[in-house]
Amino acid sequence: MRLEAVELRRVRLPFHVPFRSALAETSVREVVLVRVVTDAGEGWGECAALSHPDYTSEYVDGAAAVLRSHLVPLLARAGPPSATGVAPALAGIRGHRMAKAALEMAVLDAELRAEGRSLAARLGATRTWVEAGVAVGIPTSVAELLDDVGAALDEGYRRVKLKIAPGWDVEPVRAVRERFGDGVLLQADANGAYRLDDAAALAALDPFHLALLEQPLPPGDLVGHAELGRRVRTPVCLDESVTSADSAATAVALGAASVVNVKPGRVGGYLEAVRVHDVCRAAGVGVWCGGMFESGLARSANLALAALPGFTLPGDVSPPSRYLAADLVAPPVARDGRLAVPDRPGIGADVDAGALRRATVSVERVALAP
Ligand code: MG
């Protein structure tokens, strides 16, 4: 495959409900898309980075900048691209995993389309459908939370994830349990908002039989997570802490994780995500596929990953129509909380030209040589 051109495209997809993060409230999901053009066809990648560098250090402007100035020229200099060659070609640049993942995803898409092979087959998926859960943000009241959870369960979703934070933990979890019963698969995500000193507050969640407690402590505190795991009965799950298969192996060796949330962007791409899966599976640590408010492009690809055998818990792989008012592809469809794994050649979805045009803010062709 010869690399002929790389295009960076900025698109904007409106949220149904504005998304609040530490830095800002945003009403639109800004996305950086990567399109690679090769002599064997084209491929698309989607960058997971959000608008602001608060949930992760990466953000859309930064991702576009590092792709334009560093990653794309470096890949172009490395010779004919192959999906397995992208990460090694970019290894000289530290971090920027979401930007790297987007570029690898585009090359992977082009390669799979040329081979007539699906991403599910390429990654080693063993199921043709996956179960989806939904994540519910922190609302303004318990009543609103109960409405949100009830709506998700009415739609047939099998698992609900509640966001928690100091001061918003036991009360909402108890309220959901009391209203919807013990049969609901329930988990909580703290996005690193607690400290080990808060272990007693987190142990207070034990009676509610959560499937897992996700990222209770800051990402760097693996030792703290291991200690916390000895003080609470709820299985501890890592999200932000795991940025590669190596870091997953470290976390598992320390006993810092009973479960791992795998997000392809966070770990540098789908191929590394499979390696994270492999490390965890070998150690008996379950994994599930997380979400980053992706468009249907990346969500479709995530379905293939979520169909690997170690993905034993429902993922945040619900259709983007749950949170976005527009999409770039024909949306994956959920039935009773289950989604079919795409089996078409490539990453699993075709960009709709009209939808893409309507969502596009800017397009640039990246110079392949400095
Ligand atoms: Mg999380």
Side-chain angles (χ1 to χ4, degrees):
M1 224 165 48
R2 192 178 68 247
L3 189 63
E4 295 181 341
V6 178
E7 196 179 89
L8 299 183
R9 182 180 289 255
R10 186 78 68 94
V11 300
R12 289 166 65 87
L13 302 166
F15 283 119
H16 289 306
V17 177
F19 168 68
R20 278 196 308 275
S21 66
L23 282 178
E25 181 171 287
T26 46
S27 57
V28 170
R29 176 63 162 107
E30 291 183 285
V31 183
V32 177
L33 298 178
V34 179
R35 182 171 76 102
V36 301
V37 181
T38 77
D39 59 338
E42 66 172 33
W44 287 88
E46 174 176 338
C47 183
L50 299 165
S51 297
H52 302 283
D54 45 12
Y55 173 64
T56 67
S57 62
E58 290 189 79
Y59 65 110
V60 289
D61 288 342
V66 76
L67 280 159
R68 178 192 306 119
S69 301
H70 300 287
L71 299 177
V72 172
L74 196 54
L75 183 67
R77 286 202 297 276
S82 68
T84 52
V86 173
L90 306 180
I93 293 174
R94 291 190 195 276
H96 299 284
R97 290 180 174 85
M98 292 177 176
K100 290 174 176 175
L103 187 51
E104 183 192 86
M105 181 178 174
V107 173
L108 189 55
D109 188 32
E111 191 172 278
L112 289 168
R113 285 170 188 270
E115 293 171 357
R117 194 175 183 204
S118 72
L119 180 63
R122 173 70 170 77
L123 299 184
T126 54
R127 293 192 297 271
T128 55
W129 54 268
V130 296
E131 287 194 339
V134 295
V136 176
I138 295 181
T140 53
S141 68
V142 168
E144 190 183 327
L145 175 71
L146 295 176
D147 286 347
D148 291 347
V149 172
L153 296 175
D154 287 346
E155 289 175 52
Y157 288 103
R158 311 300 176 98
R159 179 276 276 158
V160 174
K161 167 168 129 175
L162 308 180
K163 291 284 184 180
I164 60 167
W168 177 264
D169 38 38
V170 170
E171 185 194 3
V173 170
R174 176 186 288 123
V176 170
R177 266 288 176 249
E178 284 178 355
R179 170 71 66 89
F180 301 103
D182 283 339
V184 175
L185 190 59
L186 200 61
Q187 60 195 56
D189 183 4
N191 290 111
Y194 293 83
R195 298 293 178 273
L196 188 56
D197 289 348
D198 301 317
L202 293 169
L205 294 170
D206 283 345
F208 304 107
H209 311 296
L210 297 176
L212 58 91
L213 176 58
E214 180 177 345
Q215 199 67 49
L217 309 181
D221 193 4
L222 291 180
V223 171
H225 280 100
E227 176 57 29
L228 182 68
R230 291 186 279 271
R231 298 195 203 172
V232 301
R233 286 204 308 275
T234 309
V236 172
C237 170
L238 293 180
D239 175 358
E240 292 93 321
S241 292
V242 174
T243 55
S244 64
D246 281 349
S247 67
T250 302
V252 167
L254 283 171
S258 304
V259 186
V260 169
N261 168 344
V262 182
K263 293 175 179 167
R266 199 193 66 225
V267 302
Y270 287 94
L271 303 183
E272 185 72 3
V274 172
R275 290 188 278 270
V276 173
H277 161 274
D278 294 347
V279 163
C280 292
R281 190 166 182 235
V285 168
V287 301
W288 58 282
C289 183
M292 290 288 294
F293 296 123
E294 298 89 353
S295 85
L297 193 64
R299 278 273 155 130
S300 298
N302 286 356
L303 292 172
L305 180 70
L308 266 65
F311 284 76
T312 51
L313 289 161
D316 284 337
V317 292
S318 62
S321 55
R322 270 193 60 81
Y323 49 89
L324 295 177
D327 203 346
L328 302 170
V329 304
V333 177
R335 284 201 184 82
D336 288 333
R338 290 179 168 196
L339 290 97
V341 177
D343 57 4
R344 64 175 67 189
I347 55 169
D350 292 324
V351 173
D352 179 279
L356 183 68
R357 201 167 45 244
R358 287 189 292 279
T360 295
V361 179
S362 63
V363 190
E364 60 176 302
R365 185 168 276 229
V366 181
L368 296 185

